[in-house]
Amino acid sequence: MYALVDAVSFYASAEKVFDPSIRNRPVVVLTNNDGCICAVCPIARKLGIPKFKPYFQVKNFLEKHSVVVRSSNYELYADLSEKMMNVISRFCDNQHIYSIDEAFLSFNNYACINDWHDYGQQIRKAIWKETRLPVGVGFGSTPTLAKAANHAAKKLSGFNGVAIADTHKKDILQRMTVEQVWGIGSKLGAKLNVLGVKSAFDLAKQNPKQMRKQFSVLVERTINELNGISCLSWDDVKQAKKEIFSTRSFGQRLTDFNALRSALVFHAYIVAKKVREQQSLIKRISVFASSSPHDDDYYKNAVQVQFASPTDNTLYIASCVATAVQKIYYPGVRFYRCGVGAIELDTNIYQPDLFAKDTNNIELMQCLDAINNRYGSGTLQLGAMNTEKFHMRREFMSPRFTSQWQDIPKIHC
Amino acid sequence: MKIIPIYAEAGITGFESPAAEYKELGLSLDQLLINHPDATFIGQASGDSMQGVGIYDGDILIVDRSLNCKNGDVIVANYNGCFVCKILDKVQARLVSASSTHSPVTITRGDDFQIEGVVTRSIRLHQQAPEIIACML
């Protein structure tokens, strides 16, 4: 048996954990730079607030309904996510953390459980009691069915936060569009719609071999999974990222060489940090910048840098990026967007090249990460970075209740 | 990369510390004070109504959400959208202060009330900690 546990509107729910004054109020959370709405709590959902709408477009509407608006407080979400995942881990013998708010569980030695519905409620209760986060739990004999059951548990009427795909399979799959099936998505879903495959149930009835010919092995696997034949191994699900990018558009167009360089060095810094987090090394990076496609004389340029030996050294990567900028910059271009991508990653076990200089500096990088994790990211940064301009706008951020002493919740006596 | 650690020696060695082989990990307050780290949060007391049980203004409170509250426990609750620290009177559904100047509050149907956890420890800072200034503001 598999399960998928995930939090109901995680970011918005996390905002309510240490702020009881907003527990019964509609809450929305904005994305990076307060651009769009990325999370809507169930109370706010009833007001019909759409997700991924630019904030400025709905600002008046939110004010009218006195909706609580918060910037993304990643420090808080990361901490609560970790606690939630730890609580979840008690309930299974294999847990795979799929994203910040969802985890797949597998149960190999749980033959004693005969009431999975009750077990699901126990998981929900424990997570609510210990972390104050509401979750939905879906069970299924394959990961894809568990994901479908989770959808049912949270979105379909008649399920109170827990669903078991195997007992209500037809009902659940008929009420799910094919796009909502794990791994299908809107693009593939549109193609399937043309063939008359509209619901998840329609997809489950297809001939897997034939669909493999028409689409891909992934669709074949998905069909098998929907029919209870497990095809996705744990490793398929938990692969490390194969590419890591950091990219952003500027608030104002840039024409200055130094400004572009400091922006790109900033992205190099972010990419190196993320690469270290997943314990990989970079073999090749791509450095790119462009003007806006809506401007006249659209300009776009990219440079790839191959490292002699795989590295995760922020200083080395940043210096390579800084050199690459000379090839990308062109005077007079009004740059709108730029970024750095680690496009070839390696595991952090490697054979050093006897003749190439080892660019890694493990101790220094550990020290850098430790300081930034302890005192807040950006405490130690590179001189070439101009972070002021790229600092995230977080106008409505709640206190970092669990990671900064000055922000711990006040308790009235 | 495999490294074989061979220390350079010049034949001059200091007297080895006789305590070296007795070294253990140092004491950690977390280990002593926090039993359920994933279900625990830290807050700061504000106010003087709990002095009777030794909780003073500015004290650090360690709150465990995983424990089941018993009658008479010192708890943190959400009382009408505010975190409060009180003694739980389950029998009469009241929040009781540990001070003669504060009378008990009865929880009624119209109140927004949830128990947030049990206060398992409180910590007195006999000198102000610069990291914690929120309650002084």
Side-chain angles (χ1 to χ4, degrees), chain A residues 268-269 271-273 275-277 279-283 307 309-317 348 350 358-362 365-366 368-369:
Chain A
Y269 169 89
V271 165
K273 180 176 157 238
V275 164
R276 287 196 298 274
E277 272 164 18
Q279 302 187 330
S280 297
L281 292 172
I282 308 174
K283 286 162 88 174
F307 298 136
S309 60
T311 184
D312 65 3
N313 184 344
T314 297
L315 305 179
Y316 179 71
I317 297 162
N348 64 352
Y350 71 105
D358 187 358
T359 51
N360 285 303
N361 191 337
I362 297 161
M365 290 304 113
Q366 280 171 349
L368 175 73
D369 292 336

Side-chain angles (χ1 to χ4, degrees), chain A residues 209-246:
Chain A
K209 285 273 175 300
Q210 220 174 316
M211 293 303 267
R212 177 187 187 152
K213 273 185 213 143
Q214 223 165 334
F215 294 96
S216 69
V217 64
L218 247 123
V219 177
E220 182 197 18
R221 278 184 186 171
T222 303
I223 295 168
N224 282 330
E225 285 246 325
L226 287 174
N227 289 299
I229 305 160
S230 203
C231 312
L232 291 164
S233 84
W234 227 217
D235 292 327
D236 292 333
V237 184
K238 61 167 142 192
Q239 264 171 13
K241 281 199 189 109
K242 288 187 177 122
E243 290 185 338
I244 290 177
F245 277 77
S246 172

Side-chain angles (χ1 to χ4, degrees), chain B:
Chain B
M1 186 166 56
K2 199 170 163 68
I3 295 166
I4 303 164
I6 301 169
Y7 296 105
E9 280 182 54
I12 311 157
T13 53
F15 180 63
E16 200 199 343
S17 163
E21 61 188 273
Y22 296 95
K23 191 168 163 55
E24 293 180 335
L25 281 180
L27 294 174
S28 146
L29 282 176
D30 276 18
Q31 190 195 4
L32 182 72
L33 302 177
I34 301 174
N35 296 325
H36 305 105
D38 296 317
T40 296
F41 70 93
I42 300 169
Q44 189 174 28
S46 166
D48 52 18
S49 77
M50 294 300 282
Q51 290 187 1
V53 292
I55 295 173
Y56 292 82
D57 190 40
D59 283 0
I60 301 298
L61 302 179
I62 296 181
V63 187
D64 191 333
R65 293 190 191 273
S66 70
L67 302 175
N68 294 316
C69 303
K70 296 189 302 293
N71 195 36
D73 274 348
V74 178
I75 60 150
V76 168
N78 164 22
Y79 180 68
N80 294 329
C82 203
F83 281 151
V84 295
C85 171
K86 296 287 168 198
I87 296 163
L88 181 66
D89 176 359
K90 273 190 166 177
V91 185
Q92 298 185 69
R94 293 187 310 170
L95 291 173
V96 182
S97 291
S99 154
S100 53
T101 53
H102 295 76
S103 39
V105 180
T106 305
I107 305 152
T108 62
R109 205 172 269 272
D111 284 322
D112 185 13
F113 178 79
Q114 283 161 316
I115 291 171
E116 294 292 319
V118 177
V119 177
T120 51
R121 320 274 189 233
S122 69
I123 302 166
R124 294 242 55 207
L125 305 172
H126 291 278
Q127 288 194 348
Q128 218 186 71
E131 290 85 356
I132 301 173
I133 43 166
C135 279
M136 311 300 154
L137 295 178

Side-chain angles (χ1 to χ4, degrees), chain A residues 53-345:
Chain A
K53 258 258 163 105
Y55 170 57
F56 73 91
Q57 281 182 15
V58 286
K59 201 176 160 199
N60 289 332
F61 179 82
L62 299 179
E63 269 169 25
K64 210 177 98 192
H65 291 88
S66 40
V67 176
V68 178
V69 178
R70 292 272 192 264
S71 304
S72 291
N73 185 344
Y74 295 112
E75 292 83 350
L76 177 67
Y77 308 154
D79 183 74
L80 287 175
S81 167
E82 196 186 323
K83 289 187 166 131
M84 179 178 98
M85 295 303 175
N86 288 340
V87 175
I88 292 172
S89 73
R90 292 208 308 262
F91 290 90
C92 64
D93 47 14
N94 194 357
Q95 175 192 29
H96 163 53
I97 296 169
Y98 186 62
S99 70
I100 187 163
D101 71 333
E102 31 178 2
F104 279 101
L105 319 184
S106 72
F107 307 91
N108 300 317
N109 302 299
Y110 284 74
C112 51
I113 292 173
N114 43 35
D115 188 344
W116 287 99
H117 195 274
D118 178 65
Y119 195 62
Q121 292 296 356
Q122 281 181 41
I123 297 174
R124 286 185 76 209
K125 250 174 120 176
I127 297 169
W128 172 254
K129 185 169 196 290
E130 297 182 31
T131 66
R132 275 293 183 272
L133 291 166
V135 299
V137 184
F139 290 99
S141 50
T142 64
T144 307
L145 282 172
K147 184 97 177 166
N150 181 275
H151 172 85
K154 294 200 326 188
K155 298 272 165 69
L156 301 182
S157 59
F159 298 95
N160 185 20
V162 177
I164 298 147
D166 305 74
T167 45
H168 298 95
K169 196 166 129 184
K170 198 171 170 192
D171 177 38
I172 291 171
L173 297 186
Q174 277 178 338
R175 287 162 76 189
M176 268 176 85
T177 65
V178 72
E179 291 87 354
Q180 287 166 335
V181 176
W182 190 37
I184 297 294
S186 58
K187 237 178 171 174
L188 198 50
K191 281 187 201 162
L192 288 163
N193 277 334
V194 175
L195 296 177
V197 179
K198 300 266 160 76
S199 70
F201 189 68
D202 294 338
L203 183 63
K205 282 189 302 189
Q206 301 301 309
N207 181 321
K209 285 273 175 300
Q210 220 174 316
M211 293 303 267
R212 177 187 187 152
K213 273 185 213 143
Q214 223 165 334
F215 294 96
S216 69
V217 64
L218 247 123
V219 177
E220 182 197 18
R221 278 184 186 171
T222 303
I223 295 168
N224 282 330
E225 285 246 325
L226 287 174
N227 289 299
I229 305 160
S230 203
C231 312
L232 291 164
S233 84
W234 227 217
D235 292 327
D236 292 333
V237 184
K238 61 167 142 192
Q239 264 171 13
K241 281 199 189 109
K242 288 187 177 122
E243 290 185 338
I244 290 177
F245 277 77
S246 172
T247 166
R248 212 173 284 177
S249 49
F250 306 120
Q252 287 169 344
R253 308 281 196 273
L254 294 185
T255 52
D256 178 51
F257 173 79
N258 287 327
L260 182 67
R261 191 182 58 181
S262 56
L264 281 163
V265 169
F266 167 76
H267 291 302
Y269 169 89
I270 297 287
V271 165
K273 180 176 157 238
K274 287 185 180 170
V275 164
R276 287 196 298 274
E277 272 164 18
Q278 77 162 27
Q279 302 187 330
S280 297
L281 292 172
I282 308 174
K283 286 162 88 174
R284 194 149 50 107
I285 56 167
S286 173
V287 187
F288 49 91
S290 70
S291 64
S292 164
H294 303 296
D295 289 355
D296 293 338
D297 302 323
Y298 178 50
Y299 174 91
K300 156 175 151 185
N301 203 348
V303 171
Q304 294 202 353
V305 184
Q306 181 87 39
F307 298 136
S309 60
T311 184
D312 65 3
N313 184 344
T314 297
L315 305 179
Y316 179 71
I317 297 162
S319 73
C320 292
V321 167
T323 312
V325 184
Q326 293 166 1
K327 293 184 198 154
I328 292 169
Y329 178 76
Y330 195 81
V333 173
R334 297 169 70 239
F335 286 98
Y336 168 69
R337 196 176 173 79
C338 75
V340 171
I343 50 176
E344 211 180 312
L345 292 169

